[in-house]
Amino acid sequence: MKAFVSAQMTPEGLDQLRTYVDEIKFGGWGATGKKLTPEELVQEAYDCDILVICYEEINDYVLDHLPNLKFIACSRSGVENVDRAAVRRHSVPVSYSPGRNANAVAELAVGLMICAMRHIPKTFHYIASQQWDRVPWDIAGNTSFKTFDGFELYGKTVGFVGYGAIARRVAHLLSGFDVKVIAYDPYIRQWPDDGSVTPVGWEELFRTADIISLHCKLTDDTRGIVDAAALGLMKPTAVLVNTARGALVDEDALCRALADHQIACAALDVQIHEPMEHDSPFLQLDNIILTPHIGGASRDIIAQQTRILLEDIDAFFKQGKPIHVVQ
């Protein structure tokens, strides 16, 4: 039995995979940093029984042209690269890796909140560009104390749009800041009963939260869900944080809200166009923080996704079905 691996895995994880297969072929993202096209994937993995992939697309072409294929394990938690209908047509089990980057994204979300509330990126810019005359180091005049005064997290209300694994991790990390946590998620039937979060309606969340953090999936129903109407409900001192998907936000409406100081700040790790366009109007704003989709840029994730991949590989070989199945 042969496996083709394009996902990043630890050496120990690969050793465990070798207990199930006679040969491992490497290529694609994990080996070269380049995602394979469906045609390239078929060419490199033609005689393989198992695929352990990351970003490679799984569609009818791939499934039609890999005659020995029995199982696909994907190292991602979001599987936009998998054509679910094609998988169902071919009856090939596909697993995914839920929560593999939950902690990394959650930590970045908290970091962006603090950066936005305390103006950390802006203050670094002034120091790095040697604009000390704008923030004299004395107790009179236009001091840094006055120029960059912000807000503490302590006592604030943090609102989550979506309350899955990442949002719950963010809430846990914020517990030491003594914040109030509220959340909107119409898909949750059973909320935690420990008082850690208060479920609220959409309008109440946007009206009352000091920080709104987006953690929902991008679907036809959620595309552009944070629009002009939603932004119009927010406090003028409120901050919007997005570490989920750029298309959840109407970016034109957000630009207007920031330019008019309708809200205080936005911190975005994701945008609709990635990489960002050179003429993006976001770049003209001084009340926005932008990072280039680094939520999952943690070296620790390789070990975490390897663990989840092997859980599913073990389950497939021992029980005939992976644990985390793409439906």
Side-chain angles (χ1 to χ4, degrees):
M1 189 168 287
K2 298 180 181 180
F4 178 82
V5 175
S6 74
Q8 292 177 296
M9 298 181 67
T10 63
E12 296 79 9
L14 290 171
D15 287 342
Q16 188 170 339
L17 176 60
R18 289 187 178 95
T19 64
Y20 292 111
V21 299
D22 304 306
E23 179 183 345
I24 300 177
K25 295 182 177 181
F26 297 94
W29 176 258
T32 68
K34 178 182 178 295
K35 183 181 77 171
L36 297 174
T37 66
E39 293 76 15
E40 291 170 335
L41 177 59
V42 166
Q43 183 177 3
E44 295 198 27
Y46 178 76
D47 58 346
C48 291
D49 305 88
I50 298 172
L51 300 182
V52 185
I53 63 163
C54 183
Y55 294 111
E56 278 72 27
E57 184 178 353
I58 302 299
N59 56 19
D60 277 312
Y61 177 85
V62 171
L63 297 169
D64 284 336
H65 290 83
L66 294 179
N68 297 339
L69 188 61
K70 300 176 178 64
F71 170 52
I72 302 171
C74 182
S75 65
R76 303 182 65 202
S77 53
V79 285
E80 295 92 341
N81 55 319
V82 176
D83 184 334
R84 297 169 188 255
V87 167
R88 288 193 292 270
R89 283 193 291 271
H90 290 79
S91 300
V92 175
V94 179
S95 70
Y96 69 112
S97 303
R100 64 156 189 150
N101 62 358
N103 189 68
V105 176
E107 288 185 1
L108 180 67
V110 174
L112 290 174
M113 292 176 190
I114 296 173
C115 283
M117 299 285 277
R118 298 301 301 272
H119 309 299
I120 295 173
K122 188 183 293 186
T123 58
F124 172 75
H125 168 73
Y126 282 129
I127 296 298
S129 58
Q130 300 184 22
Q131 298 184 50
W132 297 304
D133 58 324
R134 298 188 62 177
V135 284
W137 300 99
D138 58 44
I139 60 172
N142 185 31
T143 66
S144 56
F145 185 87
K146 292 183 179 179
T147 304
F148 299 115
D149 61 329
F151 292 95
E152 301 169 24
L153 280 177
Y154 174 81
K156 299 299 185 294
T157 297
V158 180
F160 294 98
V161 177
Y163 201 65
I166 295 176
R168 292 172 192 233
R169 182 61 182 163
V170 176
H172 173 74
L173 295 174
L174 288 173
S175 61
F177 290 92
D178 291 328
V179 300
K180 178 182 179 181
V181 175
I182 61 176
Y184 169 81
D185 193 326
Y187 299 100
I188 292 183
R189 296 179 180 178
Q190 186 68 39
W191 288 85
D193 58 4
D194 57 1
S196 60
V197 58
T198 301
V200 297
W202 177 262
E203 289 196 5
E204 182 179 353
L205 184 138
F206 275 81
R207 288 186 189 278
T208 60
D210 299 293
I211 300 171
I212 294 174
S213 193
L214 307 184
H215 298 284
C216 57
K217 293 181 178 180
L218 178 62
T219 66
D220 290 341
D221 292 331
T222 61
R223 187 177 299 276
I225 193 170
V226 181
D227 54 12
L231 293 166
L233 297 172
M234 293 175 65
K235 301 176 181 180
T237 54
V239 170
L240 176 71
V241 176
N242 188 7
T243 55
R245 289 291 184 267
L248 294 171
V249 178
D250 180 334
E251 291 186 345
D252 291 337
L254 178 58
C255 278
R256 290 192 297 271
L258 291 168
D260 295 341
H261 296 281
Q262 184 178 328
I263 65 173
C265 184
L268 311 177
D269 184 49
V270 289
Q271 296 91 41
I272 292 175
H273 299 287
E274 295 178 347
M276 176 174 287
E277 296 175 327
H278 292 283
D279 60 350
S280 170
F282 283 149
L283 299 175
Q284 306 303 315
L285 300 169
D286 66 354
N287 54 347
I288 192 168
I289 298 170
L290 300 167
T291 51
H293 206 145
I294 60 169
S298 163
R299 297 182 185 183
D300 297 313
I301 285 177
I302 297 175
Q304 295 168 27
Q305 70 187 27
T306 297
R307 174 183 56 78
I308 300 171
L309 286 168
L310 288 172
E311 286 178 357
D312 285 307
I313 291 169
D314 287 342
F316 173 76
F317 278 102
K318 294 176 180 177
Q319 304 165 21
K321 183 180 180 181
I323 299 169
H324 311 101
V325 182
V326 174
Q327 301 291 347

